[in-house]
Amino acid sequence: MTAPCPPPSTSEPSREERARALCLRLLTARSRTRAELAGQLAKRGYPDDISNRVLDRLASVGLVDDTDFAENWVQTRRANSGKSKRALAAELHNKGVDNDVITEVLAGIDAGAERARAEQLVRARLRREALTEDDTRVIRKLVAMLARRGYGQTVACEVALAELATERERRRV
């Protein structure tokens, strides 16, 4: 004869367990900063002591790491969106990443790499342009595209002018 199964637990999960489950659900969708998770917990009414315990535990097991998040964010946003250092710093700041971490992560991007990425973006856009418009209009569109990605006006204008001249010369040949 087999022993009877114990009755199912009827106790509710504790607030800390519910907070941990919420964080794990959020982390399943994408990685998040500690500040983002803390904001979600606060929005749902979890007290700071519970939030801090849950977030400390998640950090200790490596599920929440702002430096790792920032490095991945920068790599992805530069590759996919062509964002500048300035735009990336603003995005990371909005996500609650510490300024020291932002500075550390963005230190690897120098002015030359930033300009090279701007040139790639402009070249890609020019390949799709018909170039029947006057140069002023094309340059304005290119500078606006770079400005939306956080590039400064000087770099945007220099790159747009140089790449447009190169593209016009290439099409003449």
Side-chain angles (χ1 to χ4, degrees):
M1 188 157 154
T2 61
C5 294
S9 175
T10 58
S11 67
E12 289 281 316
S14 71
R15 284 185 54 86
E16 190 167 329
E17 290 169 340
R18 289 194 310 265
R20 185 175 23 260
L22 170 64
C23 288
L24 292 172
R25 245 188 346 270
L26 292 169
L27 289 168
T28 300
R30 69 169 175 85
S31 65
R32 296 175 193 267
T33 64
R34 183 180 180 104
E36 286 179 300
L37 293 172
Q40 289 295 319
L41 291 170
K43 182 172 134 182
R44 287 170 174 81
Y46 289 99
D48 288 343
D49 63 324
I50 289 177
S51 295
N52 287 332
R53 279 196 308 271
V54 168
L55 294 174
D56 288 344
R57 176 68 181 137
L58 292 174
S60 72
V61 297
L63 292 175
V64 177
D65 182 349
D66 283 359
T67 303
D68 187 50
F69 173 88
E71 288 169 352
N72 289 331
W73 184 266
V74 166
Q75 181 183 15
T76 302
R77 300 291 283 172
R78 275 187 57 78
N80 297 338
S81 302
K83 297 285 184 167
S84 71
K85 271 176 81 166
R86 187 175 67 188
L88 292 167
E91 289 177 352
L92 290 171
H93 183 73
N94 288 340
K95 298 242 174 244
V97 177
D98 184 61
N99 287 335
D100 293 337
V101 173
I102 293 171
T103 303
E104 176 188 328
V105 168
L106 294 178
I109 304 171
D110 64 359
E114 183 126 315
R115 185 180 182 96
R117 185 64 176 122
E119 290 168 350
Q120 287 175 340
L121 291 167
V122 169
R123 272 187 233 117
R125 176 63 60 94
L126 283 172
R127 282 193 293 270
R128 296 187 307 261
E129 289 286 329
L131 296 187
T132 57
E133 305 174 36
D134 65 27
D135 285 357
T136 305
R137 185 175 170 114
V138 173
I139 289 170
R140 196 174 326 128
K141 287 167 70 175
L142 294 171
V143 169
M145 182 245 334
L146 290 174
R148 284 190 300 274
R149 287 172 170 82
Y151 292 91
Q153 185 175 1
T154 304
V155 170
C157 289
E158 289 173 358
V159 168
L161 286 167
E163 292 299 323
L164 179 60
T166 301
E167 183 65 17
R168 287 216 183 271
E169 185 62 33
R170 187 185 71 74
R171 290 186 186 187
R172 282 191 193 118
V173 174

